Amino acid sequence: GGEMTFRSVGINLFGGHLAGRQALEEDLRKLEEATPDFVEVCPHGLGVILGGRLDRGRAQVVEEILGKMGLAHTVHAPHALNLIDLETLNLQREVLEASVRFAGETGAEVVVCHAGKRELRHARHRLRDQLAAERDALREAGDLAASLGVTLAIENSYPEPPVIRGETYAYAAWPSELA
């Protein structure tokens, strides 16, 4: 039949947690009460990536809290990540690398990131070149992830209004294109 079997259910640790250790612990405790199989944590909400680099001291605090609570977790790379943005490609690559390193250091088995989006400001670049840059960046990040025992997953998106209006090209809104 066409039924889907869910193997696990996760909850996103939403919002910023720059208020400190206590606020993060409280929010994780609340999520834990829902008994998820895992919690998705976002380094951009935890202040562990600064200027494209992983801040190891901050990451260590998060690792200690997660370890103490015994919650399995995945990592979601910053939502602003856009590997087809050729203007800031080096920074974009560094942010994805830092996200993968954060996952490796905190014991997450999966890092999720969004596929690139072509916006009007990218018009002077060829889409083919942008997609090639993204493939290279993903291959490099994937190799790093593999070396750390982490899986890199590219998330599908949905046709948001700018995509429907043709202002943004987001191939991940169509699963066949993403594949």
Side-chain angles (χ1 to χ4, degrees):
E3 61 190 61
M4 178 184 272
T5 304
F6 290 95
R7 291 188 301 215
S8 59
V9 175
I11 299 177
N12 181 284
L13 174 66
F14 188 72
H17 289 85
L18 304 178
R21 183 179 198 121
Q22 191 177 344
L24 176 59
E25 287 176 349
E26 285 172 16
D27 281 359
L28 285 169
R29 261 195 292 284
K30 286 178 196 154
L31 293 181
E32 194 175 29
E33 289 171 12
T35 66
D37 296 305
F38 64 92
V39 173
E40 180 181 71
V41 297
C42 302
H44 50 287
L46 297 168
V48 298
I49 298 177
L50 304 172
R53 303 262 185 247
L54 182 63
D55 182 310
R56 290 207 149 66
R58 288 173 179 241
Q60 201 168 3
V61 171
V62 175
E63 180 184 8
E64 285 169 18
I65 292 169
L66 288 166
K68 184 174 76 178
M69 302 196 79
L71 273 172
H73 70 286
T74 60
V75 169
H76 195 302
H79 293 104
L81 183 73
N82 190 355
L83 293 168
I84 68 172
D85 184 350
L86 299 182
E87 312 291 319
T88 60
L89 185 59
N90 287 338
L91 178 62
Q92 304 288 346
R93 290 175 85 128
E94 288 171 0
V95 167
L96 180 55
E97 179 185 316
S99 299
V100 169
R101 290 190 186 283
F102 174 68
E105 290 189 13
T106 61
E109 293 181 10
V110 176
V111 172
V112 175
C113 75
H114 287 189
K117 288 183 180 180
R118 180 179 168 91
E119 296 164 350
L120 291 176
R121 63 190 176 85
H122 298 144
R124 63 195 190 94
H125 300 288
R126 294 187 327 186
L127 177 60
R128 182 180 357 175
D129 295 338
Q130 290 180 288
L131 294 174
E134 181 179 44
R135 272 193 307 278
D136 288 345
L138 289 171
R139 190 175 298 112
E140 198 173 285
D143 289 344
L144 173 64
S147 75
L148 297 172
V150 172
T151 298
L152 182 59
I154 314 305
E155 186 174 349
N156 64 303
S157 60
Y158 57 94
E160 300 159 313
V163 175
I164 292 169
R165 289 194 299 265
E167 297 162 11
T168 300
Y169 172 65
Y171 65 88
W174 293 271
S176 58
E177 292 295 308
L178 177 59

